[in-house]
Amino acid sequence: MTTKKITILPGDGIGQEVTAQAVKVLQTVANQYDMNLELQEKPMGGTAYDLTGSPLPDETLQACKNSDAVLLGAVGGPQWESLDISLRPEKGLLRLRSELGLYANLRPAQIYGDLVEASTLKREVVEGTDIMVIRELTGGIYFGEPRGVEMRGNERVGVNTLVYSESEIRRIAIMGFEIARKRFKKLTSVDKHNVLEATILWREVVTEVSKDYPDIALNHMYVDNAAMQLIRDPKQFDTIVTTNMFGDILSDGAAMLTGSLGMLPSASIGGKIGLYEPVHGSAPDIQGQDLANPLATILSVGMMFRYSFDLTEADEKIQKAVVTTLDQYRTGDIMTKGKTQIGCREMGERVIENL
Ligand code: NAD
């Protein structure tokens, strides 16, 4: 029997409610695969700041570093917005990602069952969409130096730098090909090769790496075209790999094809330990009312089984249980006529019944 150590960071707002349900799913599936779990819960975000004065206390960081994987709910809330930027909940999350060396962010955009009605696009355009956006997470313009706002002559000038080294591009490209290989064997690399030198190098390195993956069909696309194609014909995409900023924007666009924030999981990987979290925030407007949709966090647990524990089948099982549950039951955010509306807790229980 294998043992996995998992740190649970419920965080703030609905983070507490959705992780409670996801942990139950985690336990159930681990039992089915004869996996022993050592779970430890630690404070993170605004809740941690209130307890310790830091949004990522050392004890929490150490616990994460000593784990096999980390599950996070969400961080943030209005009560912490006036704090100095270095103490804000989001800062704790950025630091955690960088401390764990997570250079790749994976965001699937997939339509589950008849949730196609939740999309703002026409059924025939989005039905069957299944895209994985892989965003480079620790380099590019969000981290490049020099940066800042300075005086030049008699006016202020804002500066940021887009910088990518060959090795940074190569490792994310390899990740892209490896993931495409486990999906439908098509990889689209998104850049701005016609204008930005850093992405001329990006395209060159991705093309070099492609020589090791003759079974994967690679195409290159400019980011402006990719934004348009995602809305025009999303089904042409399988796996997309792109820079930090382009990925930030495109992954939100791709995710919204599915029309529902409460359904979107994510994984940040690359280091020894993966971090799994829903895409949504702490939703203070519905906190503590048993209204939150826990499915994004439950699907994030599925990604943990797939990417940290190499148990693809367990992820598929969780996805199937979610689809079956949605046939009959919905939380308020995805409620439609003919279904039964339930709360966060009951949604967790129904998914477990279908496992
Ligand atoms: P949000 O994602 O928390 O909420 C946006 C809207 O979607 C709200 O109306 C909310 O009720 C609804 N919603 C979100 N998740 C839901 C779910 N699981 N079930 C049902 N409804 C859901 O975004 P926001 O309101 O812009 O931000 C609130 C706080 O969360 C802010 O402090 C923000 O900084 C933080 N935030 C954190 C993360 C993160 O932890 N990764 C991500 C985004 C925002």
Side-chain angles (χ1 to χ4, degrees), residues 220-337:
H220 301 277
M221 201 178 272
Y222 294 143
V223 63
D224 41 348
N225 187 28
M228 188 176 81
Q229 295 297 336
L230 270 174
I231 297 165
R232 196 186 70 83
D233 177 22
K235 275 179 276 195
Q236 71 183 281
F237 295 103
D238 164 10
T239 306
I240 295 175
V241 66
T242 189
T243 65
N244 200 339
M245 182 161 73
F246 296 163
D248 190 4
I249 299 165
L250 291 181
S251 61
D252 267 26
M256 272 301 110
L257 295 170
T258 69
S260 155
L261 206 46
M263 293 294 303
L264 298 169
S266 83
S268 300
I269 58 177
K272 267 195 1 249
I273 302 142
L275 171 68
Y276 300 85
E277 56 180 312
V279 166
H280 62 73
S282 59
D285 53 333
I286 57 166
Q287 168 183 359
Q289 300 166 52
D290 196 34
L291 288 174
N293 182 349
L295 294 176
T297 318
I298 288 172
L299 291 165
S300 301
V301 164
M303 292 187 86
M304 181 187 289
F305 279 108
R306 183 182 289 259
Y307 294 106
S308 279
F309 307 148
D310 212 14
L311 266 176
T312 305
E313 196 189 298
D315 183 21
E316 286 165 358
K317 203 168 178 186
I318 291 173
Q319 291 189 33
K320 217 168 132 217
V322 165
V323 172
T324 311
T325 307
L326 286 169
D327 268 350
Q328 205 180 336
Y329 298 102
R330 299 290 171 90
T331 43
D333 56 317
I334 50 171
M335 180 60 193
T336 88
K337 256 202 0 238

